[in-house]
């Protein structure tokens, strides 16, 4: 009877050891799953931030284009004003020359 009891206890102990290993493996799998979930959450957060940054960059690019367009328009107006100023100065010089010529006669 004692041998059977010892064998029975050894069998139970062996079963308990296997169950303990299964629990450890199960816990490791659960820990890995938790880590994977954390990584997925972090990746989703990064994707959201990336989308926000892209939107911001697109807005800045649009603003820069608008500013560049306005600067080009202002430069064109400045060039036109400069040409008009030169024409006025030429007309002034021509008028002065004509008046001097008329006075000298």
């Amino acid at each position: 009877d004692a041998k059977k009891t010892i064998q029975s206890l050894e069998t139970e102990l062996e079963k308990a050891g296997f169950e303990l290993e299964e629990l450890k493996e199960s816990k490791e799998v659960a820990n890995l799953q938790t880590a994977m979930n954390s990584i997925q959450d972090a990746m989703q957060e990064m994707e959201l931030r990336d989308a926000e940054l892209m939107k911001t960059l697109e807005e800045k690019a649009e603003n820069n284009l608008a500013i560049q367009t306005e600067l080009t328009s202002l430069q064109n107006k400045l060039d036109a004003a400069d040409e008009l100023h030169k024409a006025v100065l030429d007309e002034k010089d021509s008028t002065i020359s004509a008046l001097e010529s008329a006075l000298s006669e």
Side-chain angles (χ1 to χ4, degrees):
D1 265 355
K3 274 189 173 183
K4 282 187 179 180
T5 303
I6 290 173
Q7 285 178 343
S8 176
L9 287 173
E10 285 176 347
T11 302
E12 288 297 320
L13 185 58
E14 194 173 309
K15 284 182 186 176
F18 285 128
E19 289 176 3
L20 181 60
E21 280 301 312
E22 287 177 357
L23 283 174
K24 285 181 183 177
E25 289 174 6
S26 173
K27 186 174 182 182
E28 288 174 5
V29 168
N31 287 342
L32 288 174
Q33 187 62 45
T34 300
M36 287 290 291
N37 289 342
S38 295
I39 290 170
Q40 287 175 340
D41 290 346
M43 288 178 67
Q44 287 176 344
E45 180 70 25
M46 287 176 60
E47 288 172 0
L48 286 174
R49 288 183 189 168
D50 188 45
E52 290 173 359
L53 286 173
M54 287 303 292
K55 183 178 177 184
T56 301
L57 286 174
E58 288 171 3
E59 289 171 355
K60 288 186 183 246
E62 289 174 8
N63 288 342
N64 286 344
L65 182 59
I67 289 169
Q68 187 62 44
T69 301
E70 184 64 23
L71 286 173
T72 300
S73 173
L74 290 172
Q75 184 63 51
N76 290 340
K77 288 177 183 177
L78 183 60
D79 291 345
D82 191 37
E83 287 297 317
L84 182 60
H85 184 250
K86 286 179 185 175
V88 167
L89 288 178
D90 288 346
E91 185 66 29
K92 175 185 148 195
D93 289 344
S94 176
T95 301
I96 290 173
S97 291
L99 288 173
E100 287 175 343
S101 180
L103 287 174
S104 66
E105 291 179 6

